[in-house]
Each structure stands twice: as C-alpha cells, then as structure tokens.
Amino acid sequence: MFSNTSTTRFVGALAAASSYVPAVSATAAEPVSAYAVAELQKARVEIYCGHNNQAVAGIRAVRRQLHASSIASSSPIFATLDEASWLTRHDQYLLAEHALEKALDQLAMGTALN
C-alpha cells in the first residue's frame, strides 16, 4: 500500500508532468509541434506511472510524426528522442525525464526545425 507521503509525491509528480507548457516560437507553431508536445507530455506521465511500454510508444510516435513532416532527419531532436526512448526502456526514469524536457525545449525553441 501507499503511504500518505508516497501518495502525495505521486500526485505532485503527475501534476508537474502535466503542467509543463513550453513557449512555442513562431517557427515551431505548426500542427506537428502541437501534436509532438502533447504526446511528449503524455509520455512523461506514462514514465511517472511506470508504464514504460506506453511511454516508449508515445516517444516513437512523435519521432515518426516529425520524420514524416518537413523536419530534416539529421535534426538534433531525433537524437534526443532516441535517448529518451533508450533511457525509458532501461528504467533510467530521471534521465529519461530530462531527455524529454530537452526535446520539449527543442520543439519550443524551433531547433528541431533546423
């Protein structure tokens, strides 16, 4: 069973994961970016819940969507998404969380489109 403290931390972690909304630059304001941000936020929640397979599936879906868009496959975001996926599969949740934050920042700053 969960104690009061662990339940409070869990709820706090879920709230933090779902509250991240990066500022979107004008170059990143295309529909694929909105989809990618939403999916990456869902992947963060899945990681918090211990649903690795669902998180990896979400990260891979974003990667496929970005690859199918006008974004060059050599873009830095692909390496970041691959890193997040690998870390999630290997139960390195904190590092996976940081990689997802980096990917969200790359989308927000438009570096994914370079």
Side-chain angles (χ1 to χ4, degrees):
M1 260 303 314
F2 287 109
S3 69
N4 234 1
T5 305
S6 64
T7 303
T8 304
R9 286 183 184 174
F10 179 72
V11 170
L14 284 176
S18 63
S19 67
Y20 181 85
V21 180
V24 178
S25 69
T27 58
E30 59 186 56
V32 71
S33 294
Y35 167 81
V37 168
E39 286 299 312
L40 292 179
Q41 288 174 340
K42 281 195 252 181
R44 291 176 72 193
V45 173
E46 296 294 351
I47 289 171
Y48 278 122
C49 294
H51 303 150
N52 289 9
N53 292 338
Q54 292 89 335
V56 170
I59 295 167
R60 288 179 177 168
V62 169
R63 192 182 195 296
R64 282 191 302 273
Q65 184 71 22
L66 292 175
H67 193 280
S69 72
S70 61
I71 297 173
S73 62
S74 63
S75 176
I77 195 162
F78 291 105
T80 305
L81 292 173
D82 290 342
E83 176 185 10
S85 181
W86 189 92
L87 290 167
T88 301
R89 286 192 323 270
H90 290 87
D91 299 326
Q92 296 188 20
Y93 306 114
L94 185 58
L95 295 174
E97 171 69 19
H98 288 297
L100 287 176
E101 287 178 20
K102 183 178 175 183
L104 285 164
D105 288 341
Q106 287 172 327
L107 282 171
M109 299 304 292
T111 58
L113 304 175
N114 293 335

